[in-house]
Amino acid sequence: MANKYKVILLIVLTGVALILSSTIFALEFMLQKRKHLLKILKAKKESTRTGTSSSSSSNSSSKDGTNDQHSPNQSWSRTIKNSSPLSFSDRIQYMQHQVVNDRVLSADAHLALALSALPFEQNDNALYAQLYHSETLPVRGMEFVQEENQHEYEHEHDGDDNDDRAPRRKEHVQNTHGGHTATVLSQQEAIFHLEQSAQLGNPYAQNMLANILASGILPMEDPRLSYWTRGENGTTGTGMGRYAKKDWMVPSDFAEGGQQLARALVLWHMSAMGGNIEAAMALAYRHFISATSGEDPTMLVEEDDMGWVDGGRNGRRRNEEREEMSRPSRWNIQPRNKKRKEIKHSADGFAHYGVLGTCQTSLAYYEAAANGIMDELESGPLRGKVLPARDEHKLAEIHQRGASSKLAPYNKPDELEEAIKYFKIRANNVHNPDLGAAHKLANMYHYGLKGVKQDMKEALKYYEIAADLNSWEAAGQAGKFHLWGMGVDGKERDLKKALEYFRKGTPGGLNACKLRLQKKLFLKKQNVEDDLWESGEIIYNCDHPSVNGMGLLHLYGVPMMVATNLTRAIEYFELAKNMGNMDAYFNLAMMKLGWMNPFFGTSFDYAKGINLNGSPYKTSPTTRDYIDALDLLKKAESMGHIQAKHRLAMMYSHGLEHNGTIIVGKSCPKALTLNREIAMSGTTISKRLRAAYKQYTAGNYDASLRNYLAAAETGSVEAQVNAAFLLEQGHCLGMNRLDCMKASVRMWRAAARQGDEEASLRVGDFYYYGRLREDLVSDDVLNGLILRDIDFSTALFPWIRYVLYPEDVLPKARKYMIKIVKWALSKLGSGRRKATLEGQQEEEEDYDCSNPDHKNRPICLQKDNLARDKEKTRREHFQIAANYYKKAAADHGSARANFNLGFMHEWGLGLTQDFPLAKRFYDIAATSKDGEGELAVQIALFSMNVHEFLVKTTLALKKWYHNSRRSDQTSSIQDTHGVSFHDISATST
């Protein structure tokens, strides 16, 4: 019994000891944190006191006319109590003050502190302005009054619809209220606050941190001054500080990253769950790449192909669902193929980007992103009726071809500001406004053409000018703007104006427009090119947006002007559809599904409430209505209607069944394709790409690169190509040369995986020229000559380098002369050599490593191992380069790729030396469409003929030499033994 009590007592004492030790450990941890924060306060004490004194003195002056100075604590409490306006620097200092005093900040407050010091992208600039201009500062329990126009702003034209302005992002912000410069957080502390914001659940901070971890590129002006010290002190065991400096890596592929990538994936998922569109797109892109990693990249791996993962009940349930979805229908809907070939993931780990994705997992993220983007479009100034302007410039192509006329249309330079001013002068001429200039300006602002800012208000202004000059097309667009409230405030929306403009675009009304269309179709059938009617009249169609708009007005009704008439609305929609209007297809489809239509039949009289054939009206869509709606949505989607695309995506994602008949079967690949197109065409990516190109043309390369890097993580090919190009050009954001090359090839690889021709060529060039070999790219061996070797390695005409830098010829000549002299001396076997092995120097006797007696000496073994490793790496890099060249040649018919393959076959670099095959690749390169490779191929063929002759001559001489030596050896043996080989064989026989 006593032993029992002893055991119980021992357990109780052990528990108490554990509780006490844990409490002591927690107290020590809090003290260490407090000491560290006090150091921060001490370092900024002077600036804080100055800023506080200025703020309090100003507040005192405004209240009682005195200029008394208070202590920092008194100043802050007085400021809060009086709810006096605070400048930006005062807000930042207050939040620092709360950190020092162990006050709990919200996630938004931590993010605001982080963005105040870190270089961030254009979209982040808008968020920063939103955080600053919020009515309450995001600090728990504390409220502030916003102060207008209290600090300087720096606004740059970014080509998007966001006009918010944010404080300057520098090491300090000018506080005009206090008349002094206040120092903002250091970048090391800013990263700490970014991590804290992410841990507290801020989706935006989580996405930013995930991008940092996945790319390995820190958002700091000097990444060497990173946040390692906090991790070493143990204050943040879960943040970036927990990575030792040696463990932090810049990956060379999207599949690399280890723990960094694993944590990035978790953060992206948490951010996507919080509604961040970019995070959802980043994960969707990675799952999509993994799902297309099979033998056929056009086929997606689906969950049905992974039934072995679940097995048992889940596997059987999926088989039952598959049989259910494959039931035939009386409407001849294509059933699912039971004999679908099973698709397997690639066994290569680099094909998965850190996740094992399927069509369904990728669809889940893309669908979330597409839904968010549609919410933004339909509630934003575009109203879902026009796509955001997208920039598709590819900097590498522009850099190669300059202002050449061979540039693709999407690579043409943006419209000059002087040209825009000229068009505005012509269009705004009071006495004689120019219709063409007004219509051109309206189109530019409407669709964001040629780099012009997409501005609905300006577009409406010039559409109205053109409409007043009797332009039917402009009248239709102006009416559409007024109908949907595009470019106008809610109070300015005027359906009467919309009706006025639509009537201009439909002269004569519905019947006249029908007659015009019939005449137009008749003339087209008769192959009449000038559209002249028998009476000599030129037949013009009515404006189809105006026709569709009249249908909408009859659907909605305009008080005292247009009565609601669904029959007439459908007639207008049918006419606009026959004229090729995609909005009319969508409107008819939505009416089939019940939109704005209490009578779901296909033909009815709204006044009588019965169908025209006398039968009662229907109370729900029929199966025929669903199928007709599906066909109409498909047609609208093929014409580029984004709302139709979204409705179709939902149908394919969830399926559609009516009265036991499957109208639309579930199709993950189709739903994924549509949702992916919506996500990639949304405002999230378009704003980043347009802002990045504007920054590039303005010479702000670092800011441009950061925008491209952020968009590249979401799978944008343009962003990946442009980010790779800027990194390759040496804009390394503080990274060393090797890390910069790794970051560049990471982007090139990702773009090549998505089928970009230039990316495949660039990755091949990276490996062909050894630009990822540490012995060639490390900072210790780089000099001006090697840098020019790297810079000119991918130039269109590398030999031009020796014209621009003739001094580079002498080092090359000297290098080869030294090699020849060393080779000659090694053959003579003279001189004494000194070798260094593992930091110790030792003198060796005269020896030659080619001598068999010296092969086992340490210096020879070391040289032999180094040479073997270099040769192995060189051979592997040549093989990788050849694979990428083959991809570019097979997928795109690239002349450069075929030329490179021919050269590699000619010299046996990573490929078998084969002169006929080399000639074949050279000939293919010469037959390219642009004809640029013809001269280079002629020179290469001539040199190859000389090369082939020399090789054959050398082989013939070697064969003759070996045969002569063999003959001499045979003769000497015969003379020595007095017997010939013939006699020896006869005897043995």
Side-chain angles (χ1 to χ4, degrees), residues 86-90 93 116 132 147 149-154 167-184:
L86 292 181
S87 67
F88 165 73
S89 58
D90 290 336
Q93 291 174 13
S116 68
Y132 176 75
E147 180 179 12
N149 302 323
Q150 193 176 3
H151 53 268
E152 293 182 359
Y153 290 102
E154 183 179 47
R168 289 188 175 180
R169 292 182 287 101
K170 295 184 179 180
E171 292 185 356
H172 55 80
V173 177
Q174 186 70 26
N175 179 2
T176 58
H177 179 70
H180 71 282
T181 299
T183 304
V184 186

Short mmCIF file of all heavy atoms in Angstrom, two decimals, residues 86-90 93 116 132 147 149-154 167-184:
data_model
loop_
_atom_site.label_atom_id
_atom_site.label_comp_id
_atom_site.label_asym_id
_atom_site.label_seq_id
_atom_site.Cartn_x
_atom_site.Cartn_y
_atom_site.Cartn_z
N LEU A 86 -3.30 61.38 -37.99
CA LEU A 86 -1.91 60.93 -37.94
C LEU A 86 -1.37 60.78 -39.34
O LEU A 86 -2.07 60.34 -40.25
CB LEU A 86 -1.80 59.58 -37.21
CG LEU A 86 -2.10 59.58 -35.71
CD1 LEU A 86 -1.93 58.19 -35.16
CD2 LEU A 86 -1.20 60.55 -35.00
N SER A 87 -0.13 61.15 -39.51
CA SER A 87 0.51 60.97 -40.80
C SER A 87 0.90 59.51 -40.96
O SER A 87 0.83 58.71 -40.04
CB SER A 87 1.77 61.84 -40.89
OG SER A 87 2.73 61.36 -39.97
N PHE A 88 1.35 59.19 -42.18
CA PHE A 88 1.77 57.82 -42.47
C PHE A 88 2.91 57.38 -41.57
O PHE A 88 2.90 56.31 -40.98
CB PHE A 88 2.18 57.72 -43.94
CG PHE A 88 2.96 56.48 -44.26
CD1 PHE A 88 2.32 55.25 -44.33
CD2 PHE A 88 4.32 56.54 -44.49
CE1 PHE A 88 3.02 54.11 -44.61
CE2 PHE A 88 5.03 55.40 -44.76
CZ PHE A 88 4.38 54.19 -44.83
N SER A 89 3.93 58.23 -41.42
CA SER A 89 5.07 57.85 -40.59
C SER A 89 4.65 57.69 -39.14
O SER A 89 5.15 56.81 -38.43
CB SER A 89 6.17 58.91 -40.71
OG SER A 89 5.67 60.18 -40.33
N ASP A 90 3.69 58.52 -38.67
CA ASP A 90 3.20 58.39 -37.29
C ASP A 90 2.49 57.06 -37.10
O ASP A 90 2.61 56.42 -36.06
CB ASP A 90 2.25 59.53 -36.95
CG ASP A 90 3.00 60.85 -36.83
OD1 ASP A 90 4.21 60.82 -36.55
OD2 ASP A 90 2.37 61.91 -37.02
N GLN A 93 5.15 54.37 -36.85
CA GLN A 93 5.83 54.45 -35.55
C GLN A 93 4.93 53.97 -34.43
O GLN A 93 5.39 53.32 -33.48
CB GLN A 93 6.29 55.89 -35.30
CG GLN A 93 7.42 56.33 -36.22
CD GLN A 93 7.74 57.79 -36.03
OE1 GLN A 93 7.32 58.40 -35.06
NE2 GLN A 93 8.50 58.34 -36.97
N SER A 116 5.54 48.51 -45.88
CA SER A 116 6.11 49.85 -45.77
C SER A 116 7.59 49.88 -46.07
O SER A 116 8.15 50.93 -46.35
CB SER A 116 5.87 50.39 -44.36
OG SER A 116 6.63 49.67 -43.41
N TYR A 132 -3.69 51.57 -45.99
CA TYR A 132 -3.43 52.88 -45.40
C TYR A 132 -4.69 53.73 -45.32
O TYR A 132 -4.94 54.43 -44.35
CB TYR A 132 -2.35 53.62 -46.19
CG TYR A 132 -2.14 55.01 -45.65
CD1 TYR A 132 -1.46 55.20 -44.46
CD2 TYR A 132 -2.67 56.11 -46.31
CE1 TYR A 132 -1.29 56.47 -43.95
CE2 TYR A 132 -2.49 57.39 -45.80
CZ TYR A 132 -1.80 57.56 -44.61
OH TYR A 132 -1.64 58.80 -44.11
N GLU A 147 -6.15 60.94 -42.27
CA GLU A 147 -5.76 62.32 -42.58
C GLU A 147 -5.51 62.43 -44.07
O GLU A 147 -4.73 61.69 -44.64
CB GLU A 147 -4.48 62.68 -41.83
CG GLU A 147 -4.02 64.11 -42.10
CD GLU A 147 -2.77 64.42 -41.32
OE1 GLU A 147 -2.17 63.50 -40.77
OE2 GLU A 147 -2.39 65.59 -41.28
N ASN A 149 -4.26 63.95 -47.66
CA ASN A 149 -3.20 64.77 -48.27
C ASN A 149 -2.12 65.16 -47.26
O ASN A 149 -1.68 66.30 -47.22
CB ASN A 149 -3.79 66.03 -48.89
CG ASN A 149 -4.82 65.69 -49.93
OD1 ASN A 149 -4.67 64.72 -50.67
ND2 ASN A 149 -5.88 66.49 -50.00
N GLN A 150 -1.71 64.20 -46.42
CA GLN A 150 -0.74 64.55 -45.39
C GLN A 150 0.67 64.13 -45.76
O GLN A 150 1.61 64.56 -45.13
CB GLN A 150 -1.14 63.90 -44.07
CG GLN A 150 -0.39 64.46 -42.88
CD GLN A 150 -0.87 63.85 -41.59
OE1 GLN A 150 -1.72 63.00 -41.58
NE2 GLN A 150 -0.33 64.31 -40.50
N HIS A 151 0.80 63.25 -46.75
CA HIS A 151 2.13 62.81 -47.14
C HIS A 151 2.24 62.82 -48.66
O HIS A 151 1.26 62.88 -49.37
CB HIS A 151 2.39 61.40 -46.59
CG HIS A 151 1.34 60.42 -46.94
ND1 HIS A 151 0.26 60.17 -46.11
CD2 HIS A 151 1.16 59.66 -48.03
CE1 HIS A 151 -0.52 59.28 -46.67
NE2 HIS A 151 -0.01 58.97 -47.83
N GLU A 152 3.47 62.74 -49.13
CA GLU A 152 3.71 62.77 -50.56
C GLU A 152 3.30 61.44 -51.19
O GLU A 152 3.40 60.39 -50.58
CB GLU A 152 5.20 63.03 -50.85
CG GLU A 152 5.64 64.42 -50.41
CD GLU A 152 7.09 64.65 -50.76
OE1 GLU A 152 7.71 63.73 -51.28
OE2 GLU A 152 7.59 65.74 -50.48
N TYR A 153 2.85 61.54 -52.43
CA TYR A 153 2.47 60.34 -53.17
C TYR A 153 3.37 60.23 -54.39
O TYR A 153 3.88 61.20 -54.91
CB TYR A 153 1.01 60.41 -53.64
CG TYR A 153 0.01 60.29 -52.52
CD1 TYR A 153 -0.63 61.41 -52.01
CD2 TYR A 153 -0.28 59.05 -51.98
CE1 TYR A 153 -1.55 61.30 -51.00
CE2 TYR A 153 -1.20 58.92 -50.96
CZ TYR A 153 -1.84 60.04 -50.48
OH TYR A 153 -2.74 59.94 -49.48
N GLU A 154 3.48 58.98 -54.83
CA GLU A 154 4.22 58.73 -56.07
C GLU A 154 3.34 57.82 -56.91
O GLU A 154 3.16 56.65 -56.61
CB GLU A 154 5.55 58.04 -55.77
CG GLU A 154 6.39 57.80 -57.01
CD GLU A 154 7.70 57.14 -56.66
OE1 GLU A 154 7.70 56.17 -55.91
OE2 GLU A 154 8.73 57.61 -57.15
N PRO A 167 1.79 55.63 -50.60
CA PRO A 167 2.98 56.37 -50.23
C PRO A 167 4.21 55.83 -50.91
O PRO A 167 4.25 54.69 -51.34
CB PRO A 167 3.05 56.16 -48.71
CG PRO A 167 1.68 55.78 -48.32
CD PRO A 167 1.11 55.05 -49.47
N ARG A 168 5.19 56.65 -51.02
CA ARG A 168 6.43 56.24 -51.66
C ARG A 168 7.08 55.09 -50.91
O ARG A 168 7.10 55.07 -49.70
CB ARG A 168 7.42 57.40 -51.71
CG ARG A 168 7.00 58.47 -52.70
CD ARG A 168 8.10 59.50 -52.86
NE ARG A 168 7.76 60.46 -53.87
CZ ARG A 168 8.57 61.46 -54.21
NH1 ARG A 168 9.72 61.61 -53.60
NH2 ARG A 168 8.22 62.30 -55.14
N ARG A 169 7.61 54.13 -51.68
CA ARG A 169 8.28 53.00 -51.09
C ARG A 169 9.77 53.27 -51.08
O ARG A 169 10.48 52.99 -52.03
CB ARG A 169 7.99 51.73 -51.88
CG ARG A 169 6.55 51.28 -51.79
CD ARG A 169 6.35 49.99 -52.54
NE ARG A 169 6.38 50.20 -53.99
CZ ARG A 169 7.42 49.92 -54.75
NH1 ARG A 169 8.51 49.44 -54.23
NH2 ARG A 169 7.38 50.13 -56.05
N LYS A 170 10.25 53.87 -50.01
CA LYS A 170 11.67 54.12 -49.86
C LYS A 170 12.04 53.81 -48.42
O LYS A 170 11.22 53.35 -47.63
CB LYS A 170 12.01 55.57 -50.21
CG LYS A 170 11.74 55.90 -51.70
CD LYS A 170 12.16 57.31 -52.02
CE LYS A 170 11.93 57.62 -53.49
NZ LYS A 170 12.33 58.98 -53.84
N GLU A 171 13.30 54.02 -48.09
CA GLU A 171 13.70 53.75 -46.73
C GLU A 171 13.08 54.74 -45.76
O GLU A 171 13.07 54.52 -44.57
CB GLU A 171 15.22 53.79 -46.62
CG GLU A 171 15.89 52.63 -47.35
CD GLU A 171 17.38 52.62 -47.12
OE1 GLU A 171 17.87 53.57 -46.47
OE2 GLU A 171 18.04 51.70 -47.57
N HIS A 172 12.59 55.86 -46.26
CA HIS A 172 11.93 56.82 -45.39
C HIS A 172 10.78 57.45 -46.14
O HIS A 172 10.73 57.46 -47.37
CB HIS A 172 12.91 57.89 -44.92
CG HIS A 172 13.61 58.60 -46.05
ND1 HIS A 172 13.01 59.59 -46.77
CD2 HIS A 172 14.84 58.40 -46.58
CE1 HIS A 172 13.85 60.02 -47.70
NE2 HIS A 172 14.95 59.32 -47.61
N VAL A 173 9.83 57.98 -45.41
CA VAL A 173 8.68 58.66 -45.99
C VAL A 173 8.67 60.09 -45.47
O VAL A 173 8.82 60.32 -44.28
CB VAL A 173 7.38 57.94 -45.60
CG1 VAL A 173 6.17 58.69 -46.12
CG2 VAL A 173 7.40 56.52 -46.13
N GLN A 174 8.51 61.04 -46.39
CA GLN A 174 8.52 62.44 -45.99
C GLN A 174 7.21 62.80 -45.30
O GLN A 174 6.14 62.67 -45.88
CB GLN A 174 8.72 63.32 -47.22
CG GLN A 174 8.91 64.78 -46.89
CD GLN A 174 10.24 65.03 -46.22
OE1 GLN A 174 11.16 64.29 -46.43
NE2 GLN A 174 10.32 66.06 -45.41
N ASN A 175 7.29 63.21 -44.06
CA ASN A 175 6.12 63.61 -43.29
C ASN A 175 6.00 65.13 -43.35
O ASN A 175 6.69 65.84 -42.63
CB ASN A 175 6.26 63.11 -41.86
CG ASN A 175 5.09 63.50 -40.99
OD1 ASN A 175 4.15 64.13 -41.46
ND2 ASN A 175 5.16 63.13 -39.73
N THR A 176 5.14 65.62 -44.24
CA THR A 176 5.02 67.07 -44.38
C THR A 176 4.30 67.70 -43.19
O THR A 176 4.43 68.88 -42.94
CB THR A 176 4.25 67.41 -45.67
OG1 THR A 176 2.96 66.77 -45.61
CG2 THR A 176 4.99 66.88 -46.87
N HIS A 177 3.55 66.89 -42.47
CA HIS A 177 2.83 67.44 -41.32
C HIS A 177 3.81 67.82 -40.22
O HIS A 177 3.70 68.86 -39.59
CB HIS A 177 1.84 66.40 -40.80
CG HIS A 177 1.08 66.85 -39.60
ND1 HIS A 177 0.13 67.84 -39.67
CD2 HIS A 177 1.12 66.46 -38.31
CE1 HIS A 177 -0.39 68.04 -38.48
NE2 HIS A 177 0.19 67.21 -37.62
N GLY A 178 4.81 66.97 -39.99
CA GLY A 178 5.76 67.25 -38.93
C GLY A 178 6.98 67.98 -39.42
O GLY A 178 7.76 68.48 -38.63
N GLY A 179 7.19 68.00 -40.76
CA GLY A 179 8.32 68.72 -41.30
C GLY A 179 9.64 68.01 -41.11
O GLY A 179 10.68 68.64 -41.07
N HIS A 180 9.64 66.69 -41.01
CA HIS A 180 10.89 65.96 -40.83
C HIS A 180 10.78 64.64 -41.58
O HIS A 180 9.73 64.27 -42.08
CB HIS A 180 11.17 65.71 -39.35
CG HIS A 180 10.25 64.71 -38.73
ND1 HIS A 180 8.98 65.04 -38.37
CD2 HIS A 180 10.41 63.39 -38.46
CE1 HIS A 180 8.37 63.98 -37.87
NE2 HIS A 180 9.22 62.96 -37.92
N THR A 181 11.89 63.91 -41.66
CA THR A 181 11.92 62.61 -42.31
C THR A 181 11.95 61.52 -41.25
O THR A 181 12.82 61.51 -40.39
CB THR A 181 13.17 62.49 -43.20
OG1 THR A 181 13.10 63.49 -44.20
CG2 THR A 181 13.21 61.13 -43.86
N ALA A 182 10.98 60.62 -41.32
CA ALA A 182 10.91 59.53 -40.33
C ALA A 182 11.37 58.24 -40.96
O ALA A 182 11.00 57.91 -42.07
CB ALA A 182 9.46 59.38 -39.86
N THR A 183 12.23 57.50 -40.30
CA THR A 183 12.75 56.24 -40.81
C THR A 183 11.73 55.13 -40.61
O THR A 183 11.17 54.98 -39.53
CB THR A 183 14.05 55.86 -40.08
OG1 THR A 183 14.96 56.94 -40.22
CG2 THR A 183 14.64 54.60 -40.67
N VAL A 184 11.48 54.40 -41.67
CA VAL A 184 10.55 53.28 -41.62
C VAL A 184 11.32 52.02 -41.28
O VAL A 184 12.54 52.01 -41.19
CB VAL A 184 9.80 53.16 -42.98
CG1 VAL A 184 8.71 52.11 -42.92
CG2 VAL A 184 9.18 54.50 -43.33
#
